Protein backbone atom coordinates (compact mmCIF):
# COMPACT_ATOMS: atom_id res chain seq x y z
CA UNK A 1 0.00 0.00 0.00
CA UNK A 2 2.91 2.38 0.75
CA UNK A 3 4.24 1.81 -2.76
CA UNK A 4 0.84 2.69 -4.26
CA UNK A 5 0.79 5.99 -2.37
CA UNK A 6 4.37 6.85 -3.35
CA UNK A 7 3.64 6.68 -7.08
CA UNK A 8 0.53 8.86 -6.95
CA UNK A 9 1.15 12.30 -8.45
CA UNK A 10 -1.77 13.92 -6.62
CA UNK A 11 -0.07 13.42 -3.23
CA UNK A 12 2.38 16.15 -2.24
CA UNK A 13 5.98 15.11 -1.56
CA UNK A 14 5.77 16.50 2.01
CA UNK A 15 2.89 14.14 2.75
CA UNK A 16 4.80 11.21 1.28
CA UNK A 17 7.78 12.16 3.43
CA UNK A 18 5.63 12.25 6.59
CA UNK A 19 4.23 8.85 5.71
CA UNK A 20 7.69 7.34 5.20
CA UNK A 21 8.93 8.89 8.48
CA UNK A 22 6.05 7.30 10.38
CA UNK A 23 6.67 4.04 8.53
CA UNK A 24 10.34 4.17 9.51
CA UNK A 25 9.53 4.63 13.20
CA UNK A 26 6.89 1.90 13.18
CA UNK A 27 8.76 -0.69 11.08
CA UNK A 28 12.42 0.13 11.69
CA UNK A 29 13.20 -3.49 12.58
CA UNK A 30 11.54 -4.94 9.48
CA UNK A 31 14.49 -3.95 7.27
CA UNK A 32 12.30 -2.19 4.69
CA UNK A 33 13.16 1.40 5.59
CA UNK A 34 15.83 1.72 2.84
CA UNK A 35 13.25 0.49 0.34
CA UNK A 36 10.80 3.18 1.51
CA UNK A 37 13.57 5.76 1.16
CA UNK A 38 14.18 4.61 -2.41
CA UNK A 39 10.47 5.08 -3.16
CA UNK A 40 10.81 8.69 -2.00
CA UNK A 41 13.87 9.19 -4.23
CA UNK A 42 11.85 8.11 -7.26
CA UNK A 43 9.21 10.81 -6.69
CA UNK A 44 9.22 13.58 -9.31
CA UNK A 45 9.50 16.32 -6.70
CA UNK A 46 12.00 14.48 -4.48
CA UNK A 47 14.18 16.61 -2.22
CA UNK A 48 17.46 14.90 -1.18
CA UNK A 49 17.74 17.00 2.01
CA UNK A 50 14.28 15.91 3.09
CA UNK A 51 14.90 12.25 2.19
CA UNK A 52 17.93 12.38 4.49
CA UNK A 53 15.46 12.94 7.35
CA UNK A 54 14.51 9.25 7.24
CA UNK A 55 17.69 7.98 8.94
CA UNK A 56 17.70 11.17 11.06
CA UNK A 57 14.28 10.34 12.53
CA UNK A 58 15.57 6.91 13.56
CA UNK A 59 18.63 8.49 15.17
CA UNK A 60 16.41 11.00 16.97
CA UNK A 61 13.43 8.82 17.91
CA UNK A 62 14.24 5.24 16.97
CA UNK A 63 13.88 2.25 19.24
CA UNK A 64 17.47 2.58 20.49
CA UNK A 65 16.91 6.03 22.02
CA UNK A 66 13.30 6.13 23.17
CA UNK A 67 11.84 4.92 26.42
CA UNK A 68 8.31 3.89 27.16
CA UNK A 69 5.94 2.18 24.79
CA UNK A 70 5.48 4.85 22.13
CA UNK A 71 3.74 2.58 19.65
CA UNK A 72 1.91 0.34 22.12
CA UNK A 73 3.71 -2.75 20.91
CA UNK A 74 6.40 -3.56 23.50
CA UNK A 75 4.40 -5.82 25.78
CA UNK A 76 1.84 -8.52 25.15
CA UNK A 77 -0.63 -6.60 27.33
CA UNK A 78 -0.28 -3.36 25.33
CA UNK A 79 -0.60 -5.22 22.02
CA UNK A 80 -3.75 -6.96 23.26
CA UNK A 81 -5.18 -3.71 24.66
CA UNK A 82 -4.73 -1.82 21.38
CA UNK A 83 -6.16 -4.74 19.37
CA UNK A 84 -9.25 -4.92 21.57
CA UNK A 85 -9.73 -1.14 21.44
CA UNK A 86 -9.54 -1.17 17.64
CA UNK A 87 -11.99 -4.06 17.42
CA UNK A 88 -14.58 -2.63 19.81
CA UNK A 89 -14.76 0.98 18.70
CA UNK A 90 -16.32 2.05 15.43
CA UNK A 91 -13.90 4.64 14.13
CA UNK A 92 -15.43 7.30 11.95
CA UNK A 93 -12.24 9.35 11.70
CA UNK A 94 -8.90 7.54 11.47
CA UNK A 95 -7.09 10.57 12.93
CA UNK A 96 -8.88 10.06 16.25
CA UNK A 97 -7.49 6.54 16.61
CA UNK A 98 -4.05 7.70 17.68
CA UNK A 99 -3.41 8.69 21.26
CA UNK A 100 -0.03 10.19 22.12
CA UNK A 101 2.19 8.44 24.65
CA UNK A 102 1.32 11.28 27.05
CA UNK A 103 -2.22 9.85 27.27
CA UNK A 104 -0.96 6.59 28.78
CA UNK A 105 1.52 8.43 31.02
CA UNK A 106 -1.23 10.63 32.46
CA UNK A 107 -3.53 7.64 32.95
CA UNK A 108 -0.75 5.80 34.80
CA UNK A 109 -0.04 8.92 36.87
CA UNK A 110 -3.71 9.22 37.86
CA UNK A 111 -3.68 5.56 38.94
CA UNK A 112 -0.36 6.04 40.75
CA UNK A 113 1.28 3.44 38.48
CA UNK A 114 4.19 5.34 36.94
CA UNK A 115 7.37 3.29 36.96
CA UNK A 116 10.14 4.89 39.03
CA UNK A 117 12.78 3.53 36.62
CA UNK A 118 11.26 5.47 33.71
CA UNK A 119 10.01 8.51 35.67
CA UNK A 120 12.42 8.94 38.60
CA UNK A 121 12.00 11.44 41.42
CA UNK A 122 14.56 14.22 41.60
CA UNK A 123 14.01 15.08 45.24
CA UNK A 124 12.65 12.83 47.96
CA UNK A 125 10.81 9.56 47.65
CA UNK A 126 7.77 8.68 45.58
CA UNK A 127 4.52 9.59 47.30
CA UNK A 128 1.68 7.15 47.66
CA UNK A 129 -1.07 9.69 47.07
CA UNK A 130 -2.29 10.78 43.67
CA UNK A 131 -0.80 14.18 42.79
CA UNK A 132 -3.06 17.21 42.51
CA UNK A 133 -0.86 19.56 40.46
CA UNK A 134 1.32 18.28 37.64
CA UNK A 135 3.55 20.14 35.21
CA UNK A 136 4.49 18.30 32.02
CA UNK A 137 7.37 20.00 30.20
CA UNK A 138 8.56 18.86 26.78
CA UNK A 139 12.11 19.80 25.93
CA UNK A 140 12.08 20.05 22.15
CA UNK A 141 8.41 20.91 21.98
CA UNK A 142 4.93 19.53 22.43
CA UNK A 143 2.22 19.04 19.84
CA UNK A 144 -1.34 20.26 19.51
CA UNK A 145 -2.46 16.67 19.99
CA UNK A 146 -0.65 16.54 23.34
CA UNK A 147 -2.29 19.83 24.34
CA UNK A 148 -5.68 18.30 23.50
CA UNK A 149 -4.79 15.21 25.54
CA UNK A 150 -4.00 17.36 28.59
CA UNK A 151 -7.23 19.34 28.15
CA UNK A 152 -9.32 16.17 27.92
CA UNK A 153 -7.49 14.65 30.90
CA UNK A 154 -8.18 17.74 33.02
CA UNK A 155 -11.89 17.57 32.16
CA UNK A 156 -12.08 13.86 33.02
CA UNK A 157 -10.04 14.16 36.26
CA UNK A 158 -11.35 17.11 38.30
CA UNK A 159 -9.13 16.26 41.29
CA UNK A 160 -5.96 16.81 39.25
CA UNK A 161 -4.62 19.79 37.34
CA UNK A 162 -2.11 19.17 34.58
CA UNK A 163 -0.28 22.02 32.88
CA UNK A 164 1.49 21.40 29.59
CA UNK A 165 4.59 23.43 28.78
CA UNK A 166 7.47 23.11 26.38
CA UNK A 167 10.11 24.87 24.38
CA UNK A 168 7.66 25.22 21.47
CA UNK A 169 4.39 23.92 20.08
CA UNK A 170 5.07 21.82 17.01
CA UNK A 171 3.16 21.02 13.89
CA UNK A 172 4.63 18.61 11.35
CA UNK A 173 6.47 21.37 9.45
CA UNK A 174 8.19 22.86 12.51
CA UNK A 175 9.12 19.38 13.72
CA UNK A 176 10.71 18.53 10.37
CA UNK A 177 12.60 21.84 10.35
CA UNK A 178 13.98 21.08 13.82
CA UNK A 179 14.89 17.55 12.78
CA UNK A 180 16.75 18.94 9.75
CA UNK A 181 18.66 21.36 12.02
CA UNK A 182 19.60 18.48 14.36
CA UNK A 183 20.80 16.46 11.39
CA UNK A 184 22.92 19.33 10.12
CA UNK A 185 24.43 19.93 13.57
CA UNK A 186 25.29 16.25 14.01
CA UNK A 187 26.91 16.22 10.56
CA UNK A 188 29.25 19.02 11.69
CA UNK A 189 30.64 16.91 14.55
Amino acid sequence: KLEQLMIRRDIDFRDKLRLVLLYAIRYEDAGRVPEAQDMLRRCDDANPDKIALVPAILEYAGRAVRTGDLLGNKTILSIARSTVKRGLTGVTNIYTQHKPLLHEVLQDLARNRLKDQVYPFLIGQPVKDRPQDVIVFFIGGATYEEALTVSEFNLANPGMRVVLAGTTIHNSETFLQELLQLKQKSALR
Side-chain angles (χ1 to χ4, degrees), residues 10 12 15 20 35 38-39 53 55 60-61 65 70 72 81 85-86 93 100 102 109 111 118 121 128 135 159 175:
D10 61 324
D12 186 69
D15 293 327
V20 169
E35 186 179 331
D38 287 340
M39 287 182 221
L53 292 176
Y60 173 77
V65 294
L70 177 66
R81 186 183 313 133
K85 280 183 188 176
R86 263 185 281 143
N93 182 346
L102 179 61
L109 179 66
R111 294 184 200 114
V118 179
F121 276 72
K128 302 229 187 270
I135 299 172
F175 176 76

Side-chain angles (χ1 to χ4, degrees), residues 6-185:
M6 291 295 120
I7 60 174
R8 286 184 44 187
R9 294 182 185 274
D10 61 324
I11 299 176
D12 186 69
F13 178 77
R14 291 174 301 180
D15 293 327
K16 293 176 183 179
L17 174 65
R18 287 184 199 107
L19 184 61
V20 169
L21 291 172
L22 290 171
Y23 180 88
I25 290 289
R26 177 67 177 93
Y27 299 106
E28 71 181 293
D29 291 335
R32 298 197 56 198
V33 175
E35 186 179 331
Q37 247 182 303
D38 287 340
M39 287 182 221
L40 273 179
R41 283 188 190 94
R42 290 191 294 268
C43 293
D44 292 335
D45 50 352
N47 179 331
D49 288 336
K50 301 286 181 164
I51 295 170
L53 292 176
V54 177
I57 193 82
L58 294 177
E59 186 178 327
Y60 173 77
R63 181 179 317 261
V65 294
R66 67 179 181 249
T67 59
D69 194 3
L70 177 66
L71 302 171
N73 63 356
K74 281 193 176 177
T75 66
I76 298 294
L77 181 60
S78 61
I79 293 169
R81 186 183 313 133
S82 65
T83 302
V84 168
K85 280 183 188 176
R86 263 185 281 143
L88 294 179
T89 57
V91 178
T92 57
N93 182 346
I94 61 165
Y95 299 109
T96 60
Q97 278 183 305
H98 179 261
K99 297 283 186 202
L101 179 58
L102 179 61
H103 179 268
E104 290 299 319
V105 171
L106 291 175
Q107 294 301 320
D108 287 347
L109 179 66
R111 294 184 200 114
N112 227 4
R113 292 187 184 160
L114 280 184
K115 294 181 177 146
D116 295 338
Q117 307 91 301
V118 179
Y119 302 97
F121 276 72
L122 293 177
I123 300 171
Q125 296 296 318
V127 291
K128 302 229 187 270
D129 298 329
R130 183 173 126 162
Q132 291 180 341
D133 296 303
V134 178
I135 299 172
V136 176
F137 191 93
F138 281 93
I139 297 172
T143 65
Y144 291 104
E145 185 180 26
E146 289 157 341
L148 176 63
T149 296
V150 168
S151 177
E152 289 172 346
F153 180 85
N154 283 334
L155 289 172
N157 296 278
M160 289 180 69
R161 289 178 299 275
V162 177
V163 175
L164 178 67
T167 52
T168 191
I169 294 288
H170 278 298
N171 59 31
S172 63
E173 287 299 317
T174 61
F175 176 76
L176 292 178
Q177 288 170 0
E178 191 166 298
L179 186 60
L180 186 58
Q181 289 173 353
L182 283 171
K183 183 192 170 313
Q184 290 167 344
K185 285 180 184 174

